[in-house]
Amino acid sequence: MRADRVFAYGVTAGLIGDRILGDPRRGHPVAAFGRAAAAVERSLWRDDRARGLLHTLVCAGGAAAVGALGARAVRSRPAAVRVALTAAATWAVVGGTSLGREARAIGGALAAGDTEVARERLPHLCGRDPQSLDGQQMARAVVESVAENTSDAVVGALVWGAVAGVPGLLAFRAVNTLDAMVGHRSPRYLRYGWASARLDDLAGWPGARLTAVAAVLAGPDRRGAVRAWRADAAAHPSPNAGPVEASFAGALGVRLGGTLAYGGRVEHRAVLNGSAGRPVEVADIERAVRLSRQVTWLALGACVAARLLVSRTTRRGRRA
């Protein structure tokens, strides 16, 4: 079986596996990678960009190498084995089902009026300071996290899987995890995490744009999604979260952004879809989760179609 078909069948099976099983409660491969990356950090850390670059190369390069060795090991095996490897890698790196479950759990607590439970669960989804947020602000934080993580935890991985197969899947997840671990602007990581943050911006660029396009196509307000993306995305401090959150805001008809609190640090960000949107309500969490799933399947179709098209074009070029 050709590599493009192996990818198509494998990545589809992996997403279905995530949809059915979600993330394992124990022994998640991403958690294992995080522990390994933390061990590398303990060995290498200095308040220095060069050490941070080495950390990024060792960890992200190691993940890509593991994927490459795995793909090479099954290259001559039956197609079912190669499909299974791609499916397993896809299931390991995507997190769409767990994202939706966490969002809905917080939404359920907010709908029941139990803000304390919602505050307890919010750190499972994003890095906000939950004690400083009321119910409406937590609902907004959940919708923003669903939007951003649709790109980071699902679509970006599919894009790099289409580009580079199993090594691309693992490398993208490694880069995204490193950014979450050391890429933030704290005193400890301002220099050391610079390389991880910049690589995450670069790796996430195509997936973020595909996520935004899919949100436009799948959302209930296409014109609103396009308008918010064009008008407000550039005002977001993240080059990748901006298009994603703005398109989700426009598609859902809500306002995102504004004042945020992270780790005791307050940020005043631009409001996304501020001219046309309304404040986020608890019911919008479910709408955001549904939109995230629709975006996921559209992105899968786009990545599979692109891989098949490139493969067909390449074969025709060789025959010519």
Side-chain angles (χ1 to χ4, degrees):
M1 184 184 294
R2 299 196 309 263
D4 55 348
R5 293 184 179 178
V6 167
F7 170 77
Y9 293 139
V11 75
T12 302
L15 275 184
I16 293 173
D18 175 68
R19 180 71 180 88
I20 296 172
L21 302 173
D23 291 334
R25 296 186 181 274
R26 296 182 181 179
H28 197 295
V30 175
F33 171 82
R35 290 191 293 270
V40 173
E41 180 188 343
R42 288 193 294 271
S43 176
L44 289 180
W45 189 90
R46 297 287 188 281
D47 189 16
D48 179 76
R49 284 190 173 189
R51 287 294 189 103
L53 175 61
L54 180 59
H55 177 218
T56 303
L57 293 175
V58 168
C59 295
V66 168
L69 289 172
R72 183 173 182 177
V74 302
R75 185 180 300 171
S76 59
R77 303 292 295 276
V81 176
R82 290 179 282 140
V83 169
L85 176 64
T86 302
T90 302
W91 170 79
V93 303
V94 301
T97 295
S98 293
L99 172 65
R101 286 175 180 170
E102 288 295 335
R104 283 172 166 155
I106 298 170
L110 290 174
D114 198 339
T115 56
E116 289 307 311
V117 170
R119 288 192 178 99
E120 290 176 4
R121 297 197 69 101
L122 188 63
H124 298 170
L125 194 62
C126 62
R128 309 284 174 85
D129 291 334
Q131 298 305 319
S132 65
L133 304 178
D134 60 22
Q136 191 278 327
Q137 291 169 326
M138 281 190 280
R140 191 192 78 193
V142 171
V143 172
E144 290 170 352
S145 296
V146 168
E148 183 175 3
N149 283 298
T150 299
S151 175
D152 288 345
V154 183
V155 179
L158 298 179
V159 168
W160 284 102
V163 172
V166 171
L169 288 164
L170 299 189
F172 176 81
R173 187 60 170 174
V175 169
N176 188 248
T177 303
L178 288 174
D179 179 62
M181 294 177 69
V182 305
H184 40 88
R185 294 176 177 271
S186 66
R188 177 178 175 85
Y189 295 122
L190 187 62
R191 294 183 181 85
Y192 187 83
W194 176 85
S196 291
R198 298 291 79 75
L199 182 58
D200 182 68
D201 286 344
L202 181 63
W205 195 95
R209 273 71 194 169
L210 178 57
T211 302
V213 169
V216 170
L217 296 176
D221 186 351
R222 294 183 179 181
R223 291 184 179 179
V226 173
R227 181 179 60 248
W229 181 3
R230 294 179 61 184
D232 300 328
H236 196 288
S238 168
N240 295 330
V244 172
E245 291 186 21
S247 62
F248 264 67
L252 297 172
V254 300
R255 293 197 298 267
L256 300 179
T259 301
L260 313 173
Y262 289 95
R265 185 181 76 256
V266 176
E267 294 184 14
H268 300 284
R269 295 183 179 177
V271 176
L272 308 177
N273 198 37
S275 62
R278 56 170 173 76
V280 175
E281 300 172 354
V282 174
D284 293 316
I285 293 176
E286 177 62 30
R287 296 176 66 225
V289 171
R290 288 200 303 266
L291 179 57
S292 174
R293 286 185 173 173
Q294 291 167 340
V295 165
T296 295
W297 296 113
L298 282 176
L300 171 66
C303 290
V304 167
R307 180 71 181 260
L308 293 172
L309 179 61
V310 169
S311 178
R312 178 178 298 180
T313 302
T314 302
R315 292 196 307 273
R316 287 179 178 176
R318 289 172 179 172
R319 288 197 297 267

